[in-house]
Amino acid sequence: MQSSLVTTLETLSAWRHEVDRRVGVFVRFLADHDLADPTQAELLAGLRARLTSERILLAFVAEFSRGKSELINAIFFAAAGRRVMPATPGRTTMCPVELFHDPALPPRLALLPIETRLAGLSLAELRGRDDAWQQLPLDPADADGLERTLAAVTRTRRVAVDEARALGFWHEDRPEDNPPVGADGRVEVPAWRHALINFPHELLSRGLVVLDTPGLNAIGAEPELTLSLLPSAHACVFLLAADTGVTRSDLAIWREHLGADGLERFVVLNKIDTLADPLVAAATVAAQIERQRELSAAALGLPRSRVFPLSARDALAARVAGDAGALARSRLPELEAALSAELIPRQHEVLAHAAAGSAQQMRSAAARRLADRRRQLAEQLLELRGLRGKSTAKVRLMLERIDAESDEFDGCLKRLSALRAVQSRQLSELGARLGSDALRTEVAAMLSAIGGLPFSGASRESFATLFKRLRAALGDAAARTDEMRRMLDSSFVQLNTEHGFAFALQPPPPLTRYDDELDTLEQNYGRYLGLAQGWRMALPGFAEQFRRMLVAKLRVVFESASHDVEVWSKSQSAQVDEQLRERRRAFRRRREALERIQAASGELEARIAEVELQDAHLVALHGALDRVVDELVTAARDTTAADSAHAPLVLDAA
Ligand SMILES: Nc1nc2c(ncn2[C@@H]2O[C@H](COP(=O)(O)OP(=O)(O)OP(=O)(O)O)[C@@H](O)[C@H]2O)c(=O)[nH]1
Ligand SMILES: [Mg+2]
């Protein structure tokens, strides 16, 4: 009864491990043969970091009591033999719960008190501060203890109405959504703002992160969830109840939070077991389920195949009992198969593409170096062969020629350093254009235009203006990059013709993909402006959090764009440095060879043989380079199967 998710994540994990191993081989190969440079080392280190630590975020979103937590139990925690995440009738999960596994930390539940909302710090900022969280240790082997400790996520507190208002749970203009006031004049609010569960588990340890959200308005109440966590999810599971279908509040949540194109969405029609009726034939019930499925798909604007009727409760019970037939009848495996078939392979492809791309890029850089070394050897051979049968006077003449060439070489160094000065000025201008100061100024201008209230009526227009200006800044950066490219191109052509270098200009990184990222941010953040839910976000602390989050996200986009250009520029300089080094080395070698020939007869033939041997060695090295890279690229592209040498440990979920 192994879940297909386990198998696919296993495959992905084994693949990542294998590709990372081969990248490691490649890195060592480059280092052993003096073929690496710092920018390329950075590129490969970045790739390895992605291979080993990139996570897949799967979010569960729905109105309360649709069975999110129960479904998480069925998919992830059946091995505990019980219901681990609290799932009870009515509102249960009171705060967003993130499940992941970080082996560097002990298994534990970390709880962020709700009062931290008052201080205006964002969740991202608080993540790094252990002292803000209450930590409770977890013992994965103790199912009773787990259940007891995790019950904390259901905890609430009773507070005065004023405090509830300050925390964002009370709104005069939407009385129907306010919690009921008790006889003591107090209302119930969640005790925690966020919960993190670090738990060793075969899926979580392989990079899956699961987000369980509380139903009913709570998504709107935590800005970080709507603005940051949900948009960054790789996929969302949205739950409906089979007996009710799509209700008005389901639809409101769907439209506000999951309507975005580009987000992978899986819809679950949960609790199909409740449709069973002893007075109705099984075939009729099945037809009813199909009908609900069709209606739900139509209401949400999705193909029918994206709606999965199932029973989370029956699936959990079946897995706990180890009953394969009952598990199949719960229809959970169909959802798991779809998640495995679509979510993970997509992630797989993105990584595979990045890995193969980096490897090819490094191959051409290394090949260029080898070609340059071979050209130097060829020149040397020509010179040495020309010496056959020549007098000592002739040898002395050649020594003088080397000295003259070396002087000329020193002259071209001045030109190169002037070129470098211009290049670094252009780069720092571009960095300033995309720097965080410039960004903060833009965002501040936008906020002051709307009087600091991101959710007022005027905000849409100013927001659009902000993004127009940001796109212009990016366009300007692209123009500057092109200017740099043109300058390098003409200098390289000149240096190649006049001094016999082999500088090859690589095309600069296209910055257009950051335009797309700006589009996505504008869509995600813009969705919350002037929204019916806007009132909820008009809290005093929210405007500040909104600003911080927006600046943080934009900074990532601009910094990445600026970083791309910097890496490109550095790698152009790196090839210049490399060829200069080779040049110096060649002068020295030629000089030494001639001096030896001058000193002893018979040395010439030995020297020629030596150079020929060196050349043969370089040819062999090129072959080895191709083999290492081909193996890496093949391993990276082979996204269908894991290397059987690294066979996954198969874990039976039953
Ligand atoms: N009959 C039946 N009950 C289910 C099923 N899935 C969940 N339930 C029950 O529905 C109730 C609510 O389930 P939860 O998992 O707590 O729902 P939730 O979506 O997490 O709700 P909140 O945490 O309040 O947002 C619990 O009593 C579950 O046992 C199902 O497939 N069939
Ligand atoms: Mg729940």
Side-chain angles (χ1 to χ4, degrees):
M1 270 211 302
Q2 191 194 350
S3 133
S4 52
L5 262 176
V6 179
T7 339
T8 340
L9 265 178
E10 269 301 348
T11 311
L12 176 63
S13 160
W15 172 85
R16 288 167 106 156
H17 184 87
E18 173 61 13
V19 175
D20 181 55
R21 190 180 69 78
R22 292 198 183 271
V23 174
V25 169
F26 187 31
V27 168
R28 267 195 307 283
F29 177 86
L30 292 174
D32 287 351
H33 300 100
D34 194 21
L35 286 170
D37 78 34
T39 35
Q40 284 157 352
E42 205 178 305
L43 184 76
L44 284 185
L47 175 63
R48 294 191 82 173
R50 276 185 80 179
L51 283 169
T52 49
S53 64
E54 197 163 86
R55 300 179 153 197
I56 303 180
L57 177 61
L58 180 62
F60 289 72
V61 177
E63 185 49 296
F64 77 103
S65 212
R66 295 288 184 263
K68 296 176 289 292
S69 305
E70 189 80 327
L71 184 56
I72 290 173
N73 278 322
I75 300 178
F76 298 94
F77 291 115
R82 66 177 62 213
R83 184 171 282 129
V84 174
M85 291 285 275
T88 58
R91 298 195 59 182
T92 306
T93 313
M94 295 302 289
C95 66
V97 181
E98 228 173 296
L99 284 150
F100 60 96
H101 183 223
D102 177 355
L105 297 171
R108 67 184 186 189
L109 167 66
L111 297 158
L112 185 65
I114 194 78
E115 302 83 62
T116 56
R117 271 197 193 170
L118 301 173
L121 282 185
S122 73
L123 187 59
E125 287 163 308
L126 289 164
R127 269 175 202 272
R129 297 184 22 185
D130 259 10
D131 56 330
W133 301 72
Q134 286 189 23
Q135 317 277 1
L136 302 174
L138 295 174
D139 176 1
D142 171 15
D144 281 340
L146 276 180
E147 193 181 348
R148 260 197 318 277
T149 310
L150 294 185
V153 304
T154 66
R155 205 165 299 152
T156 56
R157 284 181 43 201
R158 296 190 71 79
V159 298
V161 169
D162 279 345
E163 194 178 345
R165 187 183 296 115
L167 289 169
F169 294 104
W170 186 274
H171 306 276
E172 313 300 348
D173 47 358
R174 288 287 181 113
E176 68 276 15
D177 283 344
N178 289 341
V181 184
D184 56 354
R186 296 180 158 251
V187 298
E188 195 173 56
V189 300
W192 315 111
R193 180 173 171 189
H194 202 83
L196 299 173
I197 301 181
N198 184 27
F199 192 77
H201 178 280
E202 73 257 23
L203 292 172
L204 306 178
S205 303
R206 283 168 184 80
L208 194 67
V209 175
V210 176
L211 180 66
D212 188 9
T213 60
L216 198 66
N217 297 339
I219 339 183
E222 180 56 52
E224 198 108 359
L225 199 58
T226 37
L227 296 178
S228 189
L229 272 175
L230 288 183
S232 67
H234 294 91
C236 258
V237 178
F238 180 69
L239 287 88
L240 300 165
D243 52 349
T244 56
V246 185
T247 68
R248 250 180 66 160
S249 61
D250 288 329
L251 204 56
I253 292 180
W254 173 262
R255 288 206 177 124
E256 283 177 24
H257 304 289
L258 303 173
D261 285 338
L263 181 66
E264 281 291 336
R265 293 163 299 185
F266 298 84
V267 173
V268 165
L269 197 56
N270 192 25
K271 311 195 186 185
I272 52 169
D273 57 298
T274 58
L275 299 184
D277 183 342
L279 302 183
V280 174
T284 313
V285 174
Q288 282 169 352
I289 293 175
E290 273 315 294
R291 173 112 187 96
Q292 277 292 36
R293 185 182 191 186
E294 238 146 61
L295 288 173
S296 308
L300 302 179
L302 286 181
R304 194 172 135 279
S305 58
R306 268 295 160 117
V307 180
F308 298 86
L310 57 86
S311 167
R313 178 186 278 181
D314 286 358
L316 175 62
R319 281 218 164 117
V320 167
D323 182 342
L327 180 65
R329 283 191 298 280
S330 79
R331 300 181 65 175
L332 175 63
E334 290 165 39
L335 171 69
E336 289 177 336
L339 286 172
S340 333
E342 285 164 57
L343 163 66
I344 299 162
R346 184 192 259 221
Q347 181 71 358
H348 209 149
E349 256 163 48
V350 171
L351 273 177
H353 191 73
S358 306
Q360 299 288 24
Q361 207 174 325
M362 303 277 307
R363 183 212 306 258
S364 35
R368 248 198 332 270
R369 276 162 186 235
L370 287 176
D372 192 47
R373 281 184 204 169
R374 285 198 69 198
R375 202 180 36 256
Q376 309 271 358
L377 288 182
E379 276 171 19
Q380 215 180 330
L381 263 182
L382 207 67
E383 192 173 77
L384 289 172
R385 286 188 185 131
L387 281 176
R388 281 180 171 140
K390 295 278 161 39
S391 65
T392 27
K394 175 81 188 180
V395 173
R396 198 173 323 114
L397 216 65
M398 298 208 56
L399 272 168
E400 281 163 21
R401 201 172 82 198
I402 292 181
D403 289 341
E405 271 179 39
S406 168
D407 286 347
E408 195 194 333
F409 170 72
D410 286 342
C412 97
L413 286 184
K414 288 199 194 75
R415 270 236 316 263
L416 278 168
S417 82
L419 173 68
R420 191 155 299 180
V422 178
Q423 195 184 344
S424 90
R425 180 178 50 74
Q426 285 174 329
L427 198 62
S428 75
E429 280 170 6
L430 184 138
R433 192 75 177 90
L434 296 181
S436 50
D437 283 346
L439 199 57
R440 262 196 294 273
T441 314
E442 293 287 358
V443 173
M446 186 269 292
L447 285 175
S448 86
I450 55 174
L453 290 172
F455 304 104
S456 65
S459 56
R460 266 185 190 287
E461 204 180 316
S462 313
F463 199 67
T465 312
L466 167 69
F467 274 84
K468 210 190 290 163
R469 292 180 58 90
L470 295 175
R471 270 185 215 103
L474 207 54
D476 184 43
R480 283 166 196 265
T481 309
D482 196 56
E483 193 183 307
M484 207 188 293
R485 180 195 62 77
R486 280 200 306 272
M487 178 201 67
L488 286 172
D489 193 37
S490 66
S491 307
F492 279 10
V493 167
Q494 204 173 12
L495 286 161
N496 288 352
T497 21
E498 289 177 15
H499 298 278
F501 284 107
F503 299 138
L505 191 69
Q506 292 156 306
L511 297 185
T512 36
R513 86 179 172 93
Y514 295 105
D515 266 330
D516 297 345
E517 288 191 17
L518 283 181
D519 288 347
T520 313
L521 281 180
E522 184 175 8
Q523 253 177 33
N524 282 341
Y525 280 65
R527 231 154 17 104
Y528 294 94
L529 301 169
L531 196 74
Q533 296 281 1
W535 55 274
R536 202 177 275 130
M537 307 202 174
L539 290 166
F542 195 102
E544 174 56 16
Q545 279 193 36
F546 180 83
R547 187 193 67 80
R548 280 175 192 236
M549 265 187 292
L550 183 61
V551 171
K553 292 272 172 190
L554 289 172
R555 197 189 287 153
V556 171
V557 176
F558 273 31
E559 273 174 5
S560 313
S562 158
H563 181 75
D564 281 3
V565 177
E566 202 177 312
V567 168
W568 167 74
S569 157
K570 264 202 216 155
S571 94
Q572 307 317 304
S573 310
Q575 55 164 311
V576 172
D577 288 341
E578 165 69 14
Q579 289 192 31
L580 291 183
R581 246 197 329 271
E582 291 287 346
R583 236 340 121 95
R584 281 202 197 91
R585 217 182 284 166
F587 278 134
R588 208 177 46 240
R589 273 201 304 261
R590 280 164 67 194
R591 206 161 209 300
E592 280 167 10
L594 286 173
E595 278 164 354
R596 267 189 284 161
I597 291 158
Q598 219 176 13
S601 59
E603 189 64 42
L604 178 61
E605 289 310 317
R607 183 62 197 153
I608 289 176
E610 196 180 311
V611 174
E612 280 167 349
L613 199 69
Q614 280 172 8
D615 190 53
H617 174 67
L618 287 183
V619 173
L621 200 57
H622 201 151
L625 169 72
D626 280 340
R627 267 196 308 282
V628 171
V629 177
D630 284 344
E631 276 168 14
L632 168 56
V633 170
T634 311
R637 294 222 170 104
D638 182 14
T639 54
T640 49
D643 187 344
S644 57
H646 298 270
L649 49 141
V650 174
L651 239 145
D652 196 336

